[in-house]
Amino acid sequence: MKSNINGLALAVTVGLALMSAMSDAASAKADNSWRFQRISAFPTYLNLPATLSGRHETSAEIIAATDDQRFVLYTDSPSEGVGIVDLGDPRQPKPAGFFVLDGEPTSLDVTLDSALIAVNTSESYARPGGYLAHWRISSQQEVSRCDLGGQPDSVAISPDKSFVAVAIENERDEDLNDGKLPQFPAGGLVLIPLKSGVPVCDEKRWVSLTGLAKIAPADPEPEFVAINAQNQIVVTLQENNHLVIVDGRSGQVVNHFSAGEVNLDHVDIKQEKALHFDGSLHQVRREPDAVKWLDDHRFVTANEGDYKGGSRGFTIFDTTGKVLYESGMDLEHRAALAGHYPEKRSENKGIEPEGLAVGTFGGQQYIFVLSERGSVVGVYRDTGAAPEFVQLLPSGISPESAVALAGRGLFVTANETDLGEEGGARAHVMVYEWRQGVAAYPQIQSVMHRGQPVGWGALSGLAADEQHPGRLYAVNDSFYKKQPAIFRIDARRRPALIEEMIPVTRDGKTAKGLDLEGITPDGNGGFWLASEGNRQKAVPHALYHVNAQGEILAQVDFPARLLETETRFGAEGLTKIGDVLWVAIQRPWKDDPKNTTKLLAYHLKENRWQAVRYPLEAVENGWVGLSEIAAYGDSLYLIERDNQIGEQAVIKQITRVRLKDLNPADLGTELPLVRKEVVRDLLPDLKLSGGYVVDKVEGLTFDITGQAFVVTDNDGVDDSSGETLFFSLGNFSTAQ
């Protein structure tokens, strides 16, 4: 694939001219009015060569930019190649080519017209192998190869372009002897001189790193390398929990020291379908992955962990080994406040900070810390002492690396996970612009309570307070089945603020057997809740009446006549009109004609069930169903959506049914088919975030002023980017 090849060759030769025309944002004064905002997302399958299907798994792992910052290149391990993205218009990235390799790319760096790519060709863990490929970017042709004598990981070109350093990891087999170290052959560091960007293979040097770490000194496993302006190389030995500084000119080790341990408080340490930040971890090894220099004397590490550690944060060291700053739980707590905490990783390494980038914008240096499991980027301002938190950036699933294109006022992430085979999001390269204005994300977040974040996620239903403008309530679904809850939200704040979590209880204990999908006020300070049933999992199809404290007062099961034709796709929304509860059933049950589903009416005073049928859109891919129902004015409003994501999404809309046209019939009789009107296409709203279109638009409500609000479900950050979109549609009655 050689799309945009002429533009790429031209950019290499006229890079200086392009640099002179770059955004003047980079020279603007850095202050609190400047933030990074996502402006585009490039799905990497668009870069696949013609020999591979567009459904082939792709990935964006390690990313680097050309000197003129017009193009970014990323490694794609599943496709065994390197993709190129044209950022000539950063709001509309374009595919620009793909290098097909003879092996798995693990890392790359770029200088002049050269891409230097580490390629793993190992026969086995015991017989590692790999080479450094030199590709000419403009012609997209391989020029030469250097055998590396082992399995490579990270690659870095020195700032003066005089040499390239390659970490030879020779990674351990986690299935051998329970993954215990040592495992041979040992890894090391390879240094190769460069002449005009071309590696001189015959002059490569091997730098031994054995005998340094206290943990498995005979088996160093180098993970990441970075080089400062003095040509000093810092190497992370992740499993060995060690850091080594090597002189790039002589190849001599000039210093080395343990990465150390930390004690952590207010940690969620149990995978239990609930969020409880009340645990502690003691003497946790940092086990850093990525490392970046802040200046010639300081560097920062992302402490992902691998072997027996992972401290969930990042650390700033100086070259003597002194810890200048330890983030502790700061980033993980901020991720939790934004709904990005991955509960399924609680017993492992939490959000797993893995990647790093450093860049100077407007004269101010920023540190970007990438959370692999939380799928979020923490942005910190480097103050020379304790860094100052600036913002969180939403990313694709599992950001692996990033690059700061400060000359153009851009920041770019590479997000490795591709869930296309499961119908989920694809791997992406995402682009952010540094510009004046408030942060656009998060759009909703929670508060700290007694030193702990109020954890939340998987918001699946929305309702408005009957007396207070902008006060809303949401519920979470069965992802947090050990913590069903009602969340009180102040939607007048920017971002909207989850002020309180109200546990849903039965007899004073956490209520079990719930999959909350809908909520509506009962008119007396309490609520009615709708639970989507699944009788195979002992979850009943039911409505629950709770008081203001979340205590269940009554349970109303769906009637037997209705359950005769049930499927697991049950109640997805709930609203109250007078003495009638209206329930939206997500998808057709066995007795529903094709492309229809039911709106149930439960008469509170009569304890009687009725229903109408609702017409669903027909689509070629996936399914269409209802996600919410809300009464306002003279209509019932519904969210109707497909289950598609990204560019495949076609139906995300708000419809309405006039109350005068609602004439429910008794169950077991012929149910009338209502007439719907489409009043809002939500696809443009969902695209405003600059990312891909999420599939689960799940909440809709109207406050007492007529303001309409929408929220999406982030699936508890499980096989999801973790993003929750929360936005207002304005005064809906006026808009219509």
Side-chain angles (χ1 to χ4, degrees):
M1 180 176 182
K2 294 189 179 181
S3 59
N4 289 340
I5 184 64
N6 293 331
L8 181 55
L10 179 63
V12 170
T13 60
V14 299
L16 291 177
L18 180 62
M19 289 288 285
S20 67
M22 288 177 179
S23 169
D24 59 2
S27 62
K29 182 180 179 181
D31 58 33
N32 291 334
S33 66
W34 288 77
R35 292 291 185 270
F36 294 90
Q37 313 285 14
R38 185 172 56 189
I39 58 174
S40 61
F42 175 83
T44 52
Y45 73 84
L46 294 179
N47 240 342
L48 284 171
T51 54
L52 295 175
S53 163
R55 300 188 65 83
H56 181 82
E57 181 184 0
T58 66
S59 186
E61 295 157 305
I62 304 302
I63 194 166
T66 53
D67 290 348
D68 57 25
Q69 301 184 3
R70 164 76 183 270
F71 297 88
V72 292
L73 289 76
Y74 61 88
T75 59
D76 183 342
S77 176
S79 304
E80 295 195 337
V82 167
I84 310 175
V85 183
D86 182 352
L87 297 182
D89 180 353
R91 286 173 173 77
Q92 294 183 327
K94 298 178 181 178
F98 193 87
F99 304 163
V100 178
L101 305 169
D102 296 329
E104 172 200 11
T106 60
S107 184
L108 85 165
D109 204 352
V110 173
T111 183
L112 301 175
D113 195 21
S114 297
L116 304 182
I117 309 161
V119 184
N120 176 21
T121 59
S122 300
E123 297 178 19
S124 65
Y125 291 103
R127 297 176 62 84
Y131 65 91
L132 183 71
H134 169 220
W135 281 68
R136 184 167 290 117
I137 300 172
S138 57
S139 65
Q140 299 193 26
Q141 296 292 323
E142 184 177 23
V143 178
S144 62
R145 295 183 180 186
C146 300
D147 181 74
L148 294 172
Q151 173 252 316
D153 199 326
S154 174
V155 172
I157 295 171
S158 63
D160 65 3
K161 317 297 184 184
S162 65
F163 69 93
V164 59
V166 185
I168 305 300
E169 182 178 10
N170 291 347
E171 63 184 353
R172 63 193 170 96
D173 182 351
E174 295 186 21
D175 295 324
L176 176 65
N177 195 25
D178 293 327
K180 293 180 181 178
L181 296 177
Q183 293 184 16
F184 301 105
L189 180 68
V190 169
L191 304 179
I192 304 175
L194 297 177
K195 291 186 178 179
S196 300
V198 179
V200 184
C201 300
D202 292 342
E203 298 181 20
K204 70 181 179 184
R205 290 180 291 170
W206 175 271
V207 178
S208 174
L209 302 176
T210 59
L212 303 179
K214 290 184 179 180
I215 299 169
D219 181 22
E221 297 204 9
E223 187 77 22
F224 210 96
V225 293
I227 309 172
N228 67 13
Q230 301 300 315
N231 282 339
Q232 287 184 324
I233 308 162
V234 59
V235 188
T236 60
L237 309 184
Q238 187 170 15
E239 287 88 339
N240 311 87
N241 196 38
H242 210 73
L243 295 157
V244 182
I245 299 175
V246 176
D247 180 77
R249 298 182 182 89
S250 65
Q252 297 298 309
V253 173
V254 296
N255 199 11
H256 66 92
F257 41 86
S258 169
E261 301 171 338
V262 297
N263 296 324
L264 302 172
D265 294 317
H266 303 305
V267 190
D268 189 339
I269 58 176
K270 294 182 180 179
Q271 180 184 335
E272 56 182 339
K273 291 288 186 177
L275 297 171
H276 295 295
F277 295 90
D278 55 2
S280 296
L281 295 171
H282 299 285
Q283 295 183 314
V284 181
R285 297 176 186 172
R286 289 189 172 96
E287 291 189 355
D289 187 328
V291 60
K292 294 289 182 180
W293 289 93
L294 299 175
D295 52 41
D296 288 344
H297 307 288
R298 299 178 302 140
F299 56 84
V300 57
T301 63
N303 305 324
E304 177 200 23
D306 191 326
Y307 185 43
K308 293 185 178 180
S311 61
R312 305 182 180 218
F314 63 98
T315 309
I316 297 176
F317 295 88
D318 69 13
T319 52
T320 70
K322 181 181 179 181
V323 173
L324 303 178
Y325 172 77
E326 167 56 48
S327 73
M329 292 297 295
D330 185 76
L331 179 58
E332 184 152 295
H333 282 178
R334 293 184 187 278
L337 292 174
H340 277 264
Y341 181 75
E343 200 282 321
K344 283 193 172 182
R345 303 296 298 177
S346 293
E347 293 183 1
N348 202 327
K349 294 167 288 185
I351 63 169
E352 293 190 26
E354 180 177 17
L356 288 168
V358 174
T360 300
F361 295 79
Q364 175 64 59
Q365 184 161 264
Y366 292 86
I367 304 169
F368 304 86
V369 187
L370 283 62
S371 162
E372 178 186 11
R373 300 294 180 171
S375 295
V376 73
V377 180
V379 183
Y380 291 79
R381 187 176 288 114
D382 178 20
T383 68
E388 175 189 349
F389 175 76
V390 176
Q391 66 183 118
L392 286 179
L393 296 177
S395 195
I397 305 177
S398 301
E400 176 81 4
S401 69
V403 61
L405 309 183
R408 298 185 65 190
L410 300 176
F411 172 69
V412 186
T413 63
N415 303 278
E416 66 176 336
T417 298
D418 189 330
L419 299 175
E421 189 172 331
E422 293 83 27
R426 306 300 301 267
H428 281 78
V429 169
M430 292 191 173
V431 184
Y432 308 77
E433 181 180 57
W434 188 62
R435 66 188 187 204
Q436 200 163 20
V438 298
Y441 193 86
Q443 297 175 358
I444 183 171
Q445 64 183 21
S446 64
V447 297
M448 296 291 289
H449 180 66
R450 296 180 180 176
Q452 304 174 29
V454 173
W456 63 277
L459 301 184
S460 56
L462 203 59
D465 190 272
E466 296 175 301
Q467 297 181 351
H468 300 89
R471 179 178 292 178
L472 310 181
Y473 300 93
V475 290
N476 56 6
D477 67 22
S478 62
F479 187 89
Y480 302 103
K481 66 181 181 181
K482 297 293 184 64
Q483 196 177 40
I486 300 167
F487 299 93
R488 192 182 80 229
I489 302 167
D490 183 353
R492 296 170 299 179
R493 304 281 292 270
R494 294 292 181 271
L497 193 65
I498 296 176
E499 300 176 306
E500 182 184 10
M501 181 182 72
I502 305 168
V504 177
T505 60
R506 183 188 281 114
D507 299 326
K509 300 179 180 179
T510 299
K512 298 180 180 180
L514 301 182
D515 183 4
L516 300 181
E517 298 285 351
I519 180 173
T520 190
D522 68 356
N524 295 303
F527 305 93
W528 281 94
L529 310 177
S531 179
E532 183 176 27
N534 187 333
R535 291 202 287 182
Q536 292 183 350
K537 296 183 178 180
V539 179
H541 294 273
L543 306 178
Y544 296 89
H545 190 200
V546 303
N547 63 18
Q549 291 72 46
E551 181 183 3
I552 293 177
L553 306 175
Q555 175 176 333
V556 179
D557 292 319
F558 281 16
R561 182 181 291 274
L562 185 63
L563 294 176
E564 291 172 357
T565 60
E566 73 160 324
T567 70
R568 70 178 183 87
F569 301 102
E572 279 284 323
L574 179 67
T575 195
K576 185 174 179 285
I577 303 176
D579 291 324
V580 180
L581 294 174
W582 282 92
V583 184
I585 300 300
Q586 185 182 56
R587 293 175 59 187
W589 282 20
K590 297 174 185 177
D591 62 335
D592 291 318
K594 187 177 180 180
N595 296 326
T596 69
T597 189
K598 295 185 185 73
L599 305 180
L600 303 178
Y602 177 65
H603 300 266
L604 289 165
K605 290 185 177 180
E606 305 168 27
N607 296 324
R608 182 165 61 98
W609 290 89
Q610 292 185 306
V612 297
R613 297 196 194 281
Y614 174 94
L616 296 168
E617 302 287 341
V619 291
E620 294 183 4
N621 298 314
W623 52 260
V624 173
L626 298 178
S627 285
E628 180 67 289
I629 185 170
Y632 180 70
D634 65 353
S635 299
L636 281 179
Y637 290 84
L638 303 106
I639 291 180
E640 183 177 354
R641 67 170 180 89
D642 58 21
N643 67 333
Q644 301 299 294
I645 201 164
E647 296 178 333
Q648 284 67 49
V650 294
I651 304 292
K652 314 287 184 188
Q653 62 189 21
I654 296 175
T655 68
R656 71 179 169 195
V657 176
R658 301 287 186 178
L659 297 183
K660 64 183 178 62
D661 297 329
L662 280 174
N663 298 295
D666 291 338
L667 299 177
T669 66
E670 186 67 25
L671 301 181
L673 182 69
V674 300
R675 186 176 69 88
K676 74 178 182 185
E677 305 170 63
V678 177
V679 296
R680 179 87 173 207
D681 179 6
L682 291 172
L683 284 172
D685 300 291
L686 298 172
K687 292 176 181 179
L688 287 176
S689 72
Y692 55 80
V693 174
V694 297
D695 60 334
K696 293 188 175 181
V697 191
E698 297 246 338
L700 169 68
T701 195
F702 304 84
D703 76 357
I704 61 173
T705 70
Q707 194 89 347
F709 298 91
V710 172
V711 71
T712 64
D713 177 355
N714 73 352
D715 279 330
V717 205
D718 183 32
D719 288 343
S720 162
S721 69
E723 291 182 37
T724 296
L725 304 182
F726 179 93
F727 51 91
S728 170
L729 300 176
N731 191 298
F732 215 62
S733 60
T734 302
Q736 303 311 309

